[in-house]
């Protein structure tokens, strides 16, 4: 998953970046809601004013009667200066105290659009012709016009009808100044309050982010203290069960793994050096003794030299196979060991291994028996599978007394090939059983058989090979009676992949 890159300088701390983000988002939210609120309030105020103008137009209409084709103003409330029957002068001028914001704004026109009554302040308004034409065509008109001093005035214009006949057009108006003042004051308040709110929210965000990151700071400080070689230290777990708690847990798990890995590595190096030192020391002492004998001018030196060289050869072979095992395990650790994936006849591999093992078994007077089902095919790496079988058979021969017996059983059980290497050897004490698959582990290093050497790596290689083939290995053992090593490997899925299927199995005599 890729995280969004914040467009801030890299050196800004995460808490500062978060604060800036929160503040930016909050600023956008405040601006949007402020703008929407302003528009909504303005529309509501104008629609309230329009309603008031409509009511006003009805009041004016109530003051008018139509008798004998002429309009008579009653002006009962005396609110309409210029409408009285006595005020014949249409050009009546407003007095000096007249104000478009406070004075009544009304005009009445006859059906031909001639003014028959107008208040003084209305006379100064630049009312468009549309406000007369539209009502005459049946649509009331609402709109803003300008006063003599540039004031904004809202006008409502409608017709007055009697018996289906248009008798007059009534126009009423109200100043928009108060509405504008209210909206301007709201805007000013918003422009003062919004930055203050933003500042407070930025401070709050920073405090919150600091609180959130405090445990992480603590983790960072502790992690810094954990130097190389001090991997047994653990970061403290916060009491809250949140992400930081999980992070601390993960760090501790990682430290535990690293600790174990380092310990394994150290032990591996120590064990490997120890194992490599033994054959080298043997070679040195053999050569030292041989050289000493040559100085004493002993007879039969040549014969003893040959014996010494044979011993040196054996030790060198042991050294070579130990180095091979070590190299293989090193590659396994590095993950560089690639396995072939082919269909392999396990029964045939066992035959091949037994041909090789037979001389050693005969030399030690050990009988090898086999109960092998055929064909048994598993997917895998032939070379590695031979190595696995060889290590198990070698161990069985190595740890069985002369006169004993080693049996190899191969069966198919459900979806697995099941190989059992059974010996009548010395067996393994129960307390050692869980450890024998560990690297360099030997039950009794002091009495390990010399033939073929004993490094304690054989079974760890077997385990790796079995696991790499998605199989499993188990052991049963009784000290003094013998051991059974059982390896289960998944069988090949399709029968068409079985090599040599249908061919009779060549039986190898044991
Ligand atoms: P080694 O090279 O010592 O045989 P392994 O890893 O193959 O190393 O075996 C580990 C130890 O397990 C051996 O040292 C031995 O003590 C014990 N072991 C393995 N196989 C057998 C067996 N068939 N019978 C008795 N002990 C065994």
């Amino acid at each position: 998953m890729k995280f969004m890159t914040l467009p801030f300088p890299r050196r800004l701390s995460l808490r500062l970046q978060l604060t800036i983000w929160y503040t930016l988002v909050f600023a956008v939210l405040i601006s949007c809601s402020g703008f929407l609120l302003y528009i909504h309030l303005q529309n509501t105020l104008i629609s309230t004013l329009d309603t008031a103008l409509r009511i006003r137009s009805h009041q004016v209409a109530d003051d008018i009667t139509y008798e004998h084709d002429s309009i008579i103003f009653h002006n009962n409330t005396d609110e309409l200066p210029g409408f009285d029957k006595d005020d014949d002068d249409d050009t009546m001028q407003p007095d000096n105290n007249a104000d478009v914001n406070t004075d009544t704004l009304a005009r009445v026109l006859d059906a031909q659009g001639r003014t028959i009554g107008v208040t003084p302040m209305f006379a100064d308004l630049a009312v468009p012709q549309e406000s007369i034409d539209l009502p005459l065509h049946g649509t009331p008109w609402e709109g803003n016009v300008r006063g003599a001093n540039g004031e904004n005035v809202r006008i409502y214009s409608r017709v007055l009808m009697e018996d289906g006949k248009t008798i007059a057009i009534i126009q009423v108006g109200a100043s928009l100044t108060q509405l504008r003042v209210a909206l301007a004051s709201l805007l000013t308040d918003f422009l003062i309050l919004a930055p203050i709110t933003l500042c407070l929210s930025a401070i709050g965000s920073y405090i919150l982010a600091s609180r959130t990151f405090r445990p992480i700071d603590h983790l960072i400080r502790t992690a810094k203290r954990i130097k190389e070689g001090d991997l047994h230290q653990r970061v403290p777990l916060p009491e809250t069960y949140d992400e930081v708690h999980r992070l601390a847990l993960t760090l501790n798990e990682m430290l535990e793994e690293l600790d174990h890995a380092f310990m394994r590595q150290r032990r591996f190096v120590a064990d490997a050096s120890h194992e490599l030192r033994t054959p080298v020391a043997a070679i040195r002492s053999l050569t030292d003794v041989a050289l000493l004998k040559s100085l004493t001018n002993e007879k039969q030196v040549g014969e003893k030299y040959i014996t010494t060289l044979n011993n040196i050869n054996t030790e060198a072979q042991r050294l070579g196979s130990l180095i091979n095992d070590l190299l293989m395990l090193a590659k396994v650790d590095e993950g560089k060991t690639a396995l072939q994936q082919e269909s392999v006849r396990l029964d045939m591999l066992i035959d091949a291994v037994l041909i090789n093992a037979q001389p050693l078994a005969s030399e030690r007077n050990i009988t090898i028996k086999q109960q092998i089902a055929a064909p048994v095919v598993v997917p895998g790496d032939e070379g590695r599978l031979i190595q696995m079988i060889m290590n198990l058979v070698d161990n069985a021969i190595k740890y069985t007394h002369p006169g004993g017996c080693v049996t190899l059983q191969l069966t198919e059980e459900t979806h697995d090939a099941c190989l059992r290497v059974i010996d009548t050897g010395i067996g393994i004490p129960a307390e050692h059983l869980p450890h024998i698959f560990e690297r360099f582990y030997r039950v009794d290093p002091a009495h390990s058989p010399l033939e073929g050497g004993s490094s304690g790596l054989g079974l760890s290689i077997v385990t790796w090979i079995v696991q790499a083939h998605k199989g499993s290995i188990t052991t049963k053992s009784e000290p003094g009676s013998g051991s059974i090593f059982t390896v289960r490997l998944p069988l090949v899925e399709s029968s068409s992949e079985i090599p040599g299927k249908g061919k009779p199995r060549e039986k190898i005599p044991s």
Side-chain angles (χ1 to χ4, degrees), residues 395-396 398-399 423 426-428 436 441-444 448 453-460 483 485:
N395 276 354
K398 233 169 22 179
Y399 298 105
D423 65 59
I426 58 172
I428 306 164
I436 55 170
Y441 193 86
R442 281 172 295 179
V443 172
D444 185 3
S448 287
S454 163
S455 61
L457 292 177
L459 285 181
S460 30
S483 316
F485 284 82

PDB file of all heavy atoms in Angstrom, residues 395-396 398-399 423 426-428 436 441-444 448 453-460 483 485, ligand 1:
ATOM      1  N   ASN A 395      22.375 -42.876   9.378  1.00  0.00           N
ATOM      2  CA  ASN A 395      22.184 -42.815  10.840  1.00  0.00           C
ATOM      3  C   ASN A 395      21.756 -44.178  11.375  1.00  0.00           C
ATOM      4  O   ASN A 395      22.271 -44.641  12.388  1.00  0.00           O
ATOM      5  CB  ASN A 395      21.115 -41.787  11.211  1.00  0.00           C
ATOM      6  CG  ASN A 395      21.682 -40.386  11.294  1.00  0.00           C
ATOM      7  OD1 ASN A 395      22.890 -40.220  11.185  1.00  0.00           O
ATOM      8  ND2 ASN A 395      20.824 -39.395  11.481  1.00  0.00           N
ATOM      9  N   ALA A 396      20.785 -44.815  10.670  1.00  0.00           N
ATOM     10  CA  ALA A 396      20.279 -46.114  11.134  1.00  0.00           C
ATOM     11  C   ALA A 396      21.420 -47.135  11.220  1.00  0.00           C
ATOM     12  O   ALA A 396      21.520 -47.885  12.195  1.00  0.00           O
ATOM     13  CB  ALA A 396      19.183 -46.599  10.194  1.00  0.00           C
ATOM     14  N   LYS A 398      24.683 -46.333  11.382  1.00  0.00           N
ATOM     15  CA  LYS A 398      25.687 -45.821  12.326  1.00  0.00           C
ATOM     16  C   LYS A 398      25.327 -46.153  13.779  1.00  0.00           C
ATOM     17  O   LYS A 398      26.174 -46.499  14.587  1.00  0.00           O
ATOM     18  CB  LYS A 398      25.753 -44.303  12.171  1.00  0.00           C
ATOM     19  CG  LYS A 398      27.134 -43.806  11.927  1.00  0.00           C
ATOM     20  CD  LYS A 398      27.229 -42.337  11.496  1.00  0.00           C
ATOM     21  CE  LYS A 398      26.151 -41.384  11.798  1.00  0.00           C
ATOM     22  NZ  LYS A 398      26.436 -40.018  11.326  1.00  0.00           N
ATOM     23  N   TYR A 399      24.028 -46.029  14.088  1.00  0.00           N
ATOM     24  CA  TYR A 399      23.614 -46.159  15.491  1.00  0.00           C
ATOM     25  C   TYR A 399      23.006 -47.536  15.802  1.00  0.00           C
ATOM     26  O   TYR A 399      22.248 -47.677  16.745  1.00  0.00           O
ATOM     27  CB  TYR A 399      22.636 -45.028  15.872  1.00  0.00           C
ATOM     28  CG  TYR A 399      23.287 -43.664  15.755  1.00  0.00           C
ATOM     29  CD1 TYR A 399      22.979 -42.813  14.696  1.00  0.00           C
ATOM     30  CD2 TYR A 399      24.234 -43.253  16.686  1.00  0.00           C
ATOM     31  CE1 TYR A 399      23.587 -41.579  14.566  1.00  0.00           C
ATOM     32  CE2 TYR A 399      24.858 -42.008  16.560  1.00  0.00           C
ATOM     33  CZ  TYR A 399      24.524 -41.177  15.495  1.00  0.00           C
ATOM     34  OH  TYR A 399      25.140 -39.972  15.383  1.00  0.00           O
ATOM     35  N   ASP A 423      15.219 -49.036  12.750  1.00  0.00           N
ATOM     36  CA  ASP A 423      16.443 -49.782  13.103  1.00  0.00           C
ATOM     37  C   ASP A 423      16.291 -50.426  14.473  1.00  0.00           C
ATOM     38  O   ASP A 423      15.400 -50.065  15.248  1.00  0.00           O
ATOM     39  CB  ASP A 423      17.671 -48.860  13.041  1.00  0.00           C
ATOM     40  CG  ASP A 423      17.638 -47.752  14.064  1.00  0.00           C
ATOM     41  OD1 ASP A 423      17.575 -48.054  15.266  1.00  0.00           O
ATOM     42  OD2 ASP A 423      17.655 -46.554  13.656  1.00  0.00           O
ATOM     43  N   ILE A 426      20.646 -48.272  19.011  1.00  0.00           N
ATOM     44  CA  ILE A 426      20.802 -47.852  20.419  1.00  0.00           C
ATOM     45  C   ILE A 426      19.607 -47.034  20.913  1.00  0.00           C
ATOM     46  O   ILE A 426      19.409 -46.886  22.112  1.00  0.00           O
ATOM     47  CB  ILE A 426      22.108 -47.050  20.628  1.00  0.00           C
ATOM     48  CG1 ILE A 426      22.129 -45.819  19.713  1.00  0.00           C
ATOM     49  CG2 ILE A 426      23.334 -47.920  20.395  1.00  0.00           C
ATOM     50  CD1 ILE A 426      23.287 -44.869  19.986  1.00  0.00           C
ATOM     51  N   GLY A 427      18.835 -46.493  19.984  1.00  0.00           N
ATOM     52  CA  GLY A 427      17.668 -45.699  20.373  1.00  0.00           C
ATOM     53  C   GLY A 427      18.066 -44.322  20.897  1.00  0.00           C
ATOM     54  O   GLY A 427      19.261 -44.017  21.052  1.00  0.00           O
ATOM     55  N   ILE A 428      17.054 -43.489  21.149  1.00  0.00           N
ATOM     56  CA  ILE A 428      17.317 -42.112  21.597  1.00  0.00           C
ATOM     57  C   ILE A 428      16.519 -41.861  22.876  1.00  0.00           C
ATOM     58  O   ILE A 428      15.289 -42.049  22.887  1.00  0.00           O
ATOM     59  CB  ILE A 428      16.887 -41.085  20.509  1.00  0.00           C
ATOM     60  CG1 ILE A 428      17.560 -41.416  19.169  1.00  0.00           C
ATOM     61  CG2 ILE A 428      17.199 -39.657  20.925  1.00  0.00           C
ATOM     62  CD1 ILE A 428      16.928 -40.746  17.975  1.00  0.00           C
ATOM     63  N   ILE A 436      16.905 -33.498  18.525  1.00  0.00           N
ATOM     64  CA  ILE A 436      17.828 -34.140  17.570  1.00  0.00           C
ATOM     65  C   ILE A 436      17.791 -33.486  16.184  1.00  0.00           C
ATOM     66  O   ILE A 436      18.713 -33.665  15.405  1.00  0.00           O
ATOM     67  CB  ILE A 436      17.567 -35.673  17.431  1.00  0.00           C
ATOM     68  CG1 ILE A 436      16.110 -35.913  17.065  1.00  0.00           C
ATOM     69  CG2 ILE A 436      17.996 -36.423  18.666  1.00  0.00           C
ATOM     70  CD1 ILE A 436      15.848 -37.363  16.678  1.00  0.00           C
ATOM     71  N   TYR A 441      23.275 -30.796  17.102  1.00  0.00           N
ATOM     72  CA  TYR A 441      22.855 -31.517  18.316  1.00  0.00           C
ATOM     73  C   TYR A 441      23.218 -32.990  18.190  1.00  0.00           C
ATOM     74  O   TYR A 441      22.897 -33.657  17.209  1.00  0.00           O
ATOM     75  CB  TYR A 441      21.343 -31.373  18.533  1.00  0.00           C
ATOM     76  CG  TYR A 441      20.932 -31.830  19.916  1.00  0.00           C
ATOM     77  CD1 TYR A 441      20.993 -30.952  20.987  1.00  0.00           C
ATOM     78  CD2 TYR A 441      20.544 -33.153  20.157  1.00  0.00           C
ATOM     79  CE1 TYR A 441      20.659 -31.375  22.268  1.00  0.00           C
ATOM     80  CE2 TYR A 441      20.207 -33.579  21.432  1.00  0.00           C
ATOM     81  CZ  TYR A 441      20.267 -32.677  22.479  1.00  0.00           C
ATOM     82  OH  TYR A 441      19.946 -33.090  23.742  1.00  0.00           O
ATOM     83  N   ARG A 442      23.905 -33.477  19.196  1.00  0.00           N
ATOM     84  CA  ARG A 442      24.224 -34.914  19.242  1.00  0.00           C
ATOM     85  C   ARG A 442      23.879 -35.422  20.628  1.00  0.00           C
ATOM     86  O   ARG A 442      24.149 -34.746  21.619  1.00  0.00           O
ATOM     87  CB  ARG A 442      25.708 -35.136  18.948  1.00  0.00           C
ATOM     88  CG  ARG A 442      25.999 -35.062  17.463  1.00  0.00           C
ATOM     89  CD  ARG A 442      27.455 -35.079  17.172  1.00  0.00           C
ATOM     90  NE  ARG A 442      28.116 -33.903  17.696  1.00  0.00           N
ATOM     91  CZ  ARG A 442      29.415 -33.677  17.592  1.00  0.00           C
ATOM     92  NH1 ARG A 442      30.176 -34.552  16.988  1.00  0.00           N
ATOM     93  NH2 ARG A 442      29.944 -32.588  18.081  1.00  0.00           N
ATOM     94  N   VAL A 443      23.288 -36.612  20.661  1.00  0.00           N
ATOM     95  CA  VAL A 443      22.841 -37.144  21.955  1.00  0.00           C
ATOM     96  C   VAL A 443      24.048 -37.386  22.859  1.00  0.00           C
ATOM     97  O   VAL A 443      24.076 -36.988  24.011  1.00  0.00           O
ATOM     98  CB  VAL A 443      22.048 -38.455  21.750  1.00  0.00           C
ATOM     99  CG1 VAL A 443      21.751 -39.133  23.080  1.00  0.00           C
ATOM    100  CG2 VAL A 443      20.753 -38.144  21.005  1.00  0.00           C
ATOM    101  N   ASP A 444      25.082 -37.981  22.278  1.00  0.00           N
ATOM    102  CA  ASP A 444      26.263 -38.277  23.086  1.00  0.00           C
ATOM    103  C   ASP A 444      27.504 -37.966  22.255  1.00  0.00           C
ATOM    104  O   ASP A 444      28.111 -38.865  21.658  1.00  0.00           O
ATOM    105  CB  ASP A 444      26.217 -39.770  23.483  1.00  0.00           C
ATOM    106  CG  ASP A 444      27.347 -40.111  24.434  1.00  0.00           C
ATOM    107  OD1 ASP A 444      28.098 -39.179  24.806  1.00  0.00           O
ATOM    108  OD2 ASP A 444      27.475 -41.297  24.773  1.00  0.00           O
ATOM    109  N   SER A 448      30.138 -40.539  19.830  1.00  0.00           N
ATOM    110  CA  SER A 448      29.598 -40.610  18.469  1.00  0.00           C
ATOM    111  C   SER A 448      30.477 -41.517  17.630  1.00  0.00           C
ATOM    112  O   SER A 448      31.698 -41.501  17.768  1.00  0.00           O
ATOM    113  CB  SER A 448      29.581 -39.217  17.842  1.00  0.00           C
ATOM    114  OG  SER A 448      28.567 -38.481  18.425  1.00  0.00           O
ATOM    115  N   GLY A 453      31.931 -39.973  10.378  1.00  0.00           N
ATOM    116  CA  GLY A 453      31.884 -38.741  11.166  1.00  0.00           C
ATOM    117  C   GLY A 453      30.506 -38.477  11.713  1.00  0.00           C
ATOM    118  O   GLY A 453      29.528 -39.086  11.322  1.00  0.00           O
ATOM    119  N   SER A 454      30.445 -37.604  12.699  1.00  0.00           N
ATOM    120  CA  SER A 454      29.164 -37.238  13.292  1.00  0.00           C
ATOM    121  C   SER A 454      29.240 -35.763  13.644  1.00  0.00           C
ATOM    122  O   SER A 454      30.015 -35.376  14.499  1.00  0.00           O
ATOM    123  CB  SER A 454      28.949 -38.092  14.547  1.00  0.00           C
ATOM    124  OG  SER A 454      27.963 -37.519  15.329  1.00  0.00           O
ATOM    125  N   SER A 455      28.458 -34.975  12.911  1.00  0.00           N
ATOM    126  CA  SER A 455      28.550 -33.517  13.110  1.00  0.00           C
ATOM    127  C   SER A 455      27.297 -32.958  13.755  1.00  0.00           C
ATOM    128  O   SER A 455      27.275 -31.829  14.201  1.00  0.00           O
ATOM    129  CB  SER A 455      28.767 -32.844  11.764  1.00  0.00           C
ATOM    130  OG  SER A 455      27.656 -33.133  10.934  1.00  0.00           O
ATOM    131  N   GLY A 456      26.228 -33.735  13.765  1.00  0.00           N
ATOM    132  CA  GLY A 456      24.959 -33.218  14.307  1.00  0.00           C
ATOM    133  C   GLY A 456      24.228 -32.349  13.293  1.00  0.00           C
ATOM    134  O   GLY A 456      23.314 -31.603  13.646  1.00  0.00           O
ATOM    135  N   LEU A 457      24.611 -32.428  12.008  1.00  0.00           N
ATOM    136  CA  LEU A 457      23.926 -31.618  10.980  1.00  0.00           C
ATOM    137  C   LEU A 457      22.991 -32.444  10.101  1.00  0.00           C
ATOM    138  O   LEU A 457      22.119 -31.895   9.443  1.00  0.00           O
ATOM    139  CB  LEU A 457      24.966 -30.931  10.080  1.00  0.00           C
ATOM    140  CG  LEU A 457      25.808 -29.839  10.729  1.00  0.00           C
ATOM    141  CD1 LEU A 457      26.825 -29.306   9.737  1.00  0.00           C
ATOM    142  CD2 LEU A 457      24.930 -28.700  11.218  1.00  0.00           C
ATOM    143  N   GLY A 458      23.202 -33.777  10.123  1.00  0.00           N
ATOM    144  CA  GLY A 458      22.453 -34.652   9.210  1.00  0.00           C
ATOM    145  C   GLY A 458      20.951 -34.474   9.311  1.00  0.00           C
ATOM    146  O   GLY A 458      20.267 -34.244   8.300  1.00  0.00           O
ATOM    147  N   LEU A 459      20.405 -34.550  10.530  1.00  0.00           N
ATOM    148  CA  LEU A 459      18.942 -34.485  10.679  1.00  0.00           C
ATOM    149  C   LEU A 459      18.395 -33.078  10.398  1.00  0.00           C
ATOM    150  O   LEU A 459      17.252 -32.944   9.954  1.00  0.00           O
ATOM    151  CB  LEU A 459      18.520 -34.954  12.075  1.00  0.00           C
ATOM    152  CG  LEU A 459      18.591 -36.467  12.303  1.00  0.00           C
ATOM    153  CD1 LEU A 459      18.130 -36.828  13.702  1.00  0.00           C
ATOM    154  CD2 LEU A 459      17.753 -37.218  11.274  1.00  0.00           C
ATOM    155  N   SER A 460      19.210 -32.014  10.655  1.00  0.00           N
ATOM    156  CA  SER A 460      18.674 -30.670  10.321  1.00  0.00           C
ATOM    157  C   SER A 460      18.567 -30.524   8.816  1.00  0.00           C
ATOM    158  O   SER A 460      17.629 -29.869   8.319  1.00  0.00           O
ATOM    159  CB  SER A 460      19.492 -29.543  10.945  1.00  0.00           C
ATOM    160  OG  SER A 460      20.817 -29.888  11.092  1.00  0.00           O
ATOM    161  N   SER A 483      14.965 -47.204  16.758  1.00  0.00           N
ATOM    162  CA  SER A 483      14.239 -45.964  16.418  1.00  0.00           C
ATOM    163  C   SER A 483      13.473 -46.132  15.118  1.00  0.00           C
ATOM    164  O   SER A 483      13.837 -46.964  14.278  1.00  0.00           O
ATOM    165  CB  SER A 483      15.215 -44.801  16.234  1.00  0.00           C
ATOM    166  OG  SER A 483      16.173 -44.781  17.238  1.00  0.00           O
ATOM    167  N   PHE A 485      12.102 -43.536  12.135  1.00  0.00           N
ATOM    168  CA  PHE A 485      11.962 -42.189  11.557  1.00  0.00           C
ATOM    169  C   PHE A 485      10.924 -42.287  10.443  1.00  0.00           C
ATOM    170  O   PHE A 485      11.078 -43.093   9.519  1.00  0.00           O
ATOM    171  CB  PHE A 485      13.297 -41.695  10.989  1.00  0.00           C
ATOM    172  CG  PHE A 485      14.254 -41.247  12.063  1.00  0.00           C
ATOM    173  CD1 PHE A 485      15.034 -42.159  12.750  1.00  0.00           C
ATOM    174  CD2 PHE A 485      14.350 -39.904  12.404  1.00  0.00           C
ATOM    175  CE1 PHE A 485      15.906 -41.754  13.751  1.00  0.00           C
ATOM    176  CE2 PHE A 485      15.217 -39.488  13.396  1.00  0.00           C
ATOM    177  CZ  PHE A 485      15.996 -40.408  14.083  1.00  0.00           C
TER     178      PHE A 485
HETATM  179  P1  LIG B   1      24.985 -36.962  13.386  1.00  0.00           P
HETATM  180  O1  LIG B   1      25.891 -36.473  12.341  1.00  0.00           O
HETATM  181  O2  LIG B   1      25.524 -36.814  14.766  1.00  0.00           O
HETATM  182  O3  LIG B   1      24.411 -38.286  13.118  1.00  0.00           O
HETATM  183  P2  LIG B   1      22.318 -36.109  13.043  1.00  0.00           P
HETATM  184  O4  LIG B   1      21.731 -34.738  12.958  1.00  0.00           O
HETATM  185  O5  LIG B   1      22.094 -36.992  11.880  1.00  0.00           O
HETATM  186  O6  LIG B   1      23.815 -35.908  13.373  1.00  0.00           O
HETATM  187  O7  LIG B   1      21.718 -36.774  14.315  1.00  0.00           O
HETATM  188  C1  LIG B   1      21.642 -36.057  15.526  1.00  0.00           C
HETATM  189  C2  LIG B   1      21.729 -37.003  16.690  1.00  0.00           C
HETATM  190  O8  LIG B   1      20.539 -37.792  16.733  1.00  0.00           O
HETATM  191  C3  LIG B   1      22.837 -37.987  16.559  1.00  0.00           C
HETATM  192  O9  LIG B   1      24.022 -37.458  17.127  1.00  0.00           O
HETATM  193  C4  LIG B   1      22.324 -39.167  17.330  1.00  0.00           C
HETATM  194  O10 LIG B   1      22.651 -39.028  18.701  1.00  0.00           O
HETATM  195  C5  LIG B   1      20.836 -39.125  17.176  1.00  0.00           C
HETATM  196  N1  LIG B   1      20.360 -40.079  16.155  1.00  0.00           N
HETATM  197  C6  LIG B   1      20.057 -39.815  14.885  1.00  0.00           C
HETATM  198  N2  LIG B   1      19.609 -40.932  14.243  1.00  0.00           N
HETATM  199  C7  LIG B   1      19.632 -41.922  15.157  1.00  0.00           C
HETATM  200  C8  LIG B   1      19.288 -43.324  15.136  1.00  0.00           C
HETATM  201  N3  LIG B   1      18.793 -43.904  14.016  1.00  0.00           N
HETATM  202  N4  LIG B   1      19.438 -44.008  16.263  1.00  0.00           N
HETATM  203  C9  LIG B   1      19.871 -43.422  17.397  1.00  0.00           C
HETATM  204  N5  LIG B   1      20.227 -42.113  17.489  1.00  0.00           N
HETATM  205  C10 LIG B   1      20.098 -41.370  16.386  1.00  0.00           C
END
